Amino acid sequence: MSKQGFLISSESVTEGHPDKVADQISDGVLDAILTDDPMGRVACETLVTTGLVMVAGEISTSTYVDIPRLAREIVKEIGYTRAKYGFDGDTCAVLTAIDEQSGDIAQGVNKALEIREGDMDEADINKVGAGDQGMMVGFASNETEEFMPMPIALSHRLSRRLAFVRKQGIIPYLRPDGKTQVTLEYHDNKAVRADTIVVSAQHHPDVDPKQIRADIVEHVIDPVVPREFMEDHPRILVNPTGRFVKGGPMADTGLTGRKIILDTYGGWVSHGGGAFSGKDPTKVDRSAAYMARYAAKTIVAAGLADRCQIQVAYAIGVAHPVSVMVETYGEGKISDEKLTRLVREHFDFRPAAIIRDLDLRKPQYRRIASYGHMGRIDLEPMPAWERTDRAEVLRKAAETI
């Protein structure tokens, strides 16, 4: 990325946004299955609209989940508890359409091509093949404590704060839906000031827009955005349409997997295109993206680069990735070729190894279905792909390569 001055934006949404309602239901189903059946295969998609939740997908499991009851509980926990919000967990209809995983896919996941061709022992723990083809991207930057790009880090902090002030009654007239967006100016790859901050917050119809703006600035923006970014008085837009009463699934249909950029790095780097929510960890769209983040963050934490992007790609039914690439934008302490070699030596990207190393067969996914899957140091316990436990080993290995 150019070292000249530029503006870059990233957005986030609250858990009440319709797309995130859908993501949370899909991941809630996944968590419920993994609780009793860690080997369950799940590809769960959700649609939410006025008065309706539709859950569909392919699920193979030995357990039973009461999906309608689970969906209603999640909707109510998010905050849609009153019919006047246009959507609530007690009165909405819940429809399901669930089939088993395709046998054609299952045979490649159960037994990787390497085993079928005799290149891997049948007893190898890594006999699982990738659940799909595709490319995944991991990224890390040392500009924030989350090792994330500053625009997406601030956008998520604003969205979490927006939900917090609603739930704590600090701004009592807010409702669950909300969006944030931050535009920062960079010089020499360093954020120097906020250019524009946008907060759209669903609210009670009788509140004056001026009161909403004043409260959002005081209780949401000021506690989150660093003071030095505010010195040049950035443009602040609060509910720029003038009114945000009708929100949530009543205003917009929500779908699982429609917020993949804010789930990752806010558009700062490339994206493989695969969504995460509702997918068990044999789906490399999810698990390999987490491992790529883990490896990229380790490289940056080890001091081998200020920024690092890793791309990995798979063929369906094949355990080993078809490619792994490290990119440090010409600023790495050693060459990208050597870093790629280190990543291949110290991180096993076969699906079963990722599942083992990152402990992905336990229920943990609904909690990251909102406010991003990466950089979640706000959670306890922190997701395994946010650890930096291999940084010192990698740094020492780089000295000898």
Side-chain angles (χ1 to χ4, degrees):
M1 192 172 288
S2 169
K3 291 190 177 184
Q4 301 302 312
F6 60 89
L7 298 177
I8 188 166
S9 304
S10 292
E11 70 158 347
S12 179
V13 301
T14 67
E15 67 252 45
H17 186 280
D19 291 332
K20 281 297 157 193
V21 174
D23 282 344
Q24 289 170 89
I25 293 172
S26 291
D27 275 335
V29 171
L30 173 61
D31 280 352
I33 290 172
L34 293 179
T35 297
D36 293 326
D37 179 16
M39 304 304 290
R41 300 279 172 79
V42 181
C44 182
E45 313 295 341
T46 302
L47 175 150
V48 295
T49 188
T50 304
L52 175 65
V53 175
M54 177 70 187
V55 182
E58 295 76 45
I59 298 176
S60 297
T61 180
S62 60
T63 192
Y64 169 76
V65 174
D66 186 342
I67 293 177
R69 179 179 178 181
L70 176 65
R72 294 180 189 281
E73 289 175 351
I74 291 172
V75 168
K76 288 188 286 186
E77 287 173 12
I78 290 169
Y80 290 111
T81 57
R82 305 181 70 179
K84 68 180 183 179
Y85 293 171
F87 188 80
D88 77 280
D90 288 322
T91 64
C92 66
V94 182
L95 305 180
T96 62
I98 304 296
D99 290 314
E100 288 190 338
Q101 183 181 60
S102 163
D104 294 345
I105 295 174
Q107 69 177 7
V109 176
N110 295 338
K111 188 177 291 187
L113 179 68
E114 291 91 332
I115 288 180
R116 287 176 274 134
E117 292 186 343
D119 295 329
M120 188 186 299
D121 188 274
E122 175 75 32
D124 194 317
I125 186 178
N126 291 299
K127 65 182 179 181
V128 174
D132 203 351
Q133 71 174 46
M135 68 194 89
M136 301 83 214
V137 174
F139 179 80
S141 167
N142 61 9
E143 69 171 318
T144 65
E145 63 177 339
E146 300 98 325
F147 284 75
M148 293 286 284
M150 184 68 78
I152 189 67
L154 288 180
S155 294
H156 284 322
R157 292 177 201 172
L158 286 169
S159 287
R160 290 199 300 268
R161 180 69 184 177
L162 191 60
F164 176 81
V165 297
R166 170 178 66 88
K167 294 175 181 178
Q168 296 297 314
I170 298 171
I171 307 182
Y173 53 79
L174 292 183
R175 292 178 175 175
D177 199 356
K179 303 180 77 171
T180 65
Q181 184 171 287
V182 174
T183 301
L184 299 181
E185 181 176 341
Y186 275 74
H187 286 276
D188 295 324
N189 288 327
K190 180 178 175 59
V192 295
R193 71 177 188 92
D195 181 83
T196 306
I197 298 171
V198 184
V199 177
S200 295
Q202 187 187 13
H203 59 87
H204 187 282
D206 296 335
V207 184
D208 185 272
K210 292 182 180 178
Q211 181 66 47
I212 297 172
R213 177 187 169 86
D215 288 342
I216 293 294
V217 170
E218 179 182 357
H219 297 295
V220 178
I221 296 175
D222 284 348
V224 168
V225 181
R227 187 178 302 274
E228 62 269 23
F229 286 176
M230 303 292 288
E231 289 177 353
D232 289 341
H233 305 290
R235 188 182 188 195
I236 295 176
L237 302 174
V238 175
N239 289 352
T241 69
R243 181 178 170 88
F244 189 6
V245 173
K246 186 176 181 179
M250 184 180 183
D252 288 297
T253 297
L255 294 170
T256 299
R258 207 159 60 174
K259 288 289 179 284
I260 59 176
I261 297 301
L262 68 84
D263 282 343
T264 51
Y265 307 103
W268 188 273
V269 296
S270 304
H271 196 290
F276 300 155
S277 289
K279 297 177 180 178
D280 76 81
T282 66
K283 279 72 169 176
V284 285
D285 277 343
R286 171 167 237 156
S287 54
Y290 294 163
M291 182 58 95
R293 161 65 175 176
Y294 182 35
K297 186 174 181 180
T298 301
I299 287 173
V300 175
L304 300 177
D306 292 333
R307 296 176 294 148
C308 177
Q309 175 182 298
I310 296 177
Q311 184 200 83
V312 58
Y314 293 84
I316 189 169
V318 182
H320 290 88
V322 298
S323 68
V324 176
M325 181 188 72
V326 176
E327 168 66 53
T328 59
Y329 311 95
E331 300 170 357
K333 303 303 185 289
I334 61 176
S335 71
D336 291 347
E337 180 183 4
K338 290 181 178 179
L339 284 171
T340 299
R341 196 186 321 159
L342 280 175
V343 165
R344 284 187 170 275
E345 291 174 356
H346 291 268
F347 298 89
D348 191 338
F349 276 87
R350 290 176 293 177
I354 297 173
I355 292 169
R356 176 198 64 206
D357 293 347
L358 299 182
D359 197 13
L360 298 183
R361 288 204 185 277
K362 67 181 181 182
Q364 58 183 305
Y365 298 107
R366 186 192 157 194
R367 70 188 188 129
I368 55 171
S370 300
Y371 311 115
H373 292 241
M374 314 303 178
R376 298 307 304 274
I377 61 173
D378 60 298
L379 296 176
E380 182 59 44
M382 191 170 59
W385 52 93
E386 294 301 323
R387 300 188 314 240
T388 56
D389 53 320
R390 300 189 189 182
E392 184 61 20
V393 172
L394 202 68
R395 185 189 64 78
K396 289 182 178 179
E399 295 173 353
T400 62
I401 194 168

